[in-house]
Amino acid sequence: MMRISGLSAGYGAGDVLHSVDITAPAGELTVILGANGSGKSTLFRTVSGVLRPTAGRVEFEGEETTRSRPAAIVRRGLAHCPEGRHLFPRMSVEKNLMLGAYVGRRDKRRVRELLGRTYDLFPVLQDKSHQDAGSLSGGQQQMVAIGRALMSDPKMLILDEPSMGLAPLITQQVFDAIVGINQEGIGVLLAEQNARSALKIASTGYVLAEGRVVLSGAASDLADDPAVQQAYLGV
Ligand SMILES: Nc1ncnc2c1ncn2[C@@H]1O[C@H](COP(=O)(O)OP(=O)(O)OP(=O)(O)O)[C@@H](O)[C@H]1O
Ligand SMILES: [Mg+2]
């Protein structure tokens, strides 16, 4: 599991994340809600080692990772699928996927198994494995980004707004895949604008506002909370 305590971080001109406490249990799906600019991506960059915290602590699977390097954190079993996908558009789908295996295991057999798992999860990617990633639809590119993160064989997957810019039907496919990943025992930490769908698949949720946790609880309780409904569910 991941335990984040008192975590603060920023980009040099003061903190944008203020003493955040979040626990993401192993194998569970935890959702982080929050308006634009509330600090979701900053939180994810900090726990995955891309950004250095100014205070606080991150523990993953019982070991402190607060100031570990990104590659070391991936090797521990935490994979980060960033907001905006960041694929290499002129490389093939399969080459993009294989980049995710680079930091992790060098065991060729295991890498083949992981590639097979990704294609089982997203069969359309197998059909397009030799096409340039940039030629795929937005939804398919999101599948490549998630698949690439899975290629590091994570225990926990961080997904930053996977439904961004996708049509409702495609969003549903991506959410179904996230549920499938979670059912394989992989923990998921998910940031979403699509609060209604995210709360349906999550067990626990946190709401960030201006870099602070302002609400947390069981996902079903958050879905019934008037403040959440008003701010995020359009009720
Ligand atoms: N690279 C950066 N340099 C400086 N400030 C940044 C940078 N990235 C984000 N910020 C600032 O940090 C704050 C939190 O932004 P962050 O991207 O973490 O929010 P978010 O919840 O992920 O928002 P969104 O829903 O738009 O993705 C915002 O005020 C933002 O302007
Ligand atoms: Mg963000």
Side-chain angles (χ1 to χ4, degrees):
M1 79 159 172
M2 182 186 293
R3 196 194 300 272
I4 298 166
S5 31
L7 198 67
S8 299
Y11 299 90
D15 291 342
V16 298
L17 207 61
H18 306 280
S19 196
V20 165
D21 297 318
I22 285 174
T23 300
E28 287 193 22
L29 205 156
T30 305
V31 66
I32 313 289
L33 304 176
N36 292 124
S38 59
K40 304 178 297 294
S41 298
T42 302
L43 170 70
F44 289 172
R45 287 183 201 121
T46 310
V47 299
S48 60
V50 177
L51 202 62
R52 292 233 148 186
T54 53
R57 184 179 168 88
V58 183
E59 271 173 53
F60 182 61
E61 301 276 313
E63 296 202 46
E64 182 169 5
T65 57
T66 317
R67 283 174 179 80
S68 302
R69 290 149 66 96
I73 293 174
V74 174
R75 265 186 231 109
R76 282 262 170 80
L78 184 69
H80 180 188
C81 181
E83 183 179 295
R85 297 158 201 153
H86 297 282
L87 301 179
F88 289 90
R90 300 186 67 180
M91 278 169 57
S92 73
V93 166
E94 189 153 308
K95 286 204 169 120
N96 272 278
L97 291 173
M98 292 300 286
L99 286 173
Y102 180 76
V103 168
R105 298 169 186 267
R106 299 295 157 87
D107 175 347
K108 280 198 179 139
R109 218 185 88 208
R110 183 64 185 145
V111 171
R112 281 276 130 203
E113 281 172 14
L114 291 166
L115 191 62
R117 176 175 78 174
T118 296
Y119 287 148
D120 286 346
L121 195 62
F122 302 115
V124 65
L125 299 187
Q126 184 149 35
D127 300 337
K128 297 181 185 276
S129 62
H130 298 296
Q131 289 188 26
D132 282 357
S135 72
L136 270 54
S137 70
Q140 291 163 353
Q141 291 193 29
Q142 185 60 56
M143 293 171 195
V144 176
I146 296 172
R148 178 183 55 191
L150 285 174
M151 289 297 292
S152 68
D153 206 3
K155 298 188 180 94
M156 187 174 281
L157 180 62
I158 291 180
L159 295 172
D160 197 348
E161 304 212 28
S163 77
M164 191 162 62
L166 304 183
L169 191 67
I170 311 300
T171 295
Q172 195 49 53
Q173 287 174 15
V174 169
F175 271 77
D176 289 347
I178 294 169
V179 170
I181 291 164
N182 186 233
Q183 280 169 349
E184 288 198 24
I186 299 173
V188 176
L189 190 56
L190 171 70
E192 258 301 330
Q193 297 281 340
N194 201 330
R196 192 185 302 278
S197 305
L199 287 170
K200 273 189 196 138
I201 63 171
S203 53
T204 315
Y206 290 81
V207 180
L208 282 182
E210 294 176 4
R212 290 183 171 82
V213 174
V214 292
L215 265 178
S216 65
S220 53
D221 291 344
L222 287 179
D224 292 337
D225 188 299
V228 174
Q229 290 183 340
Q230 202 184 5
Y232 303 106
L233 302 177
V235 175

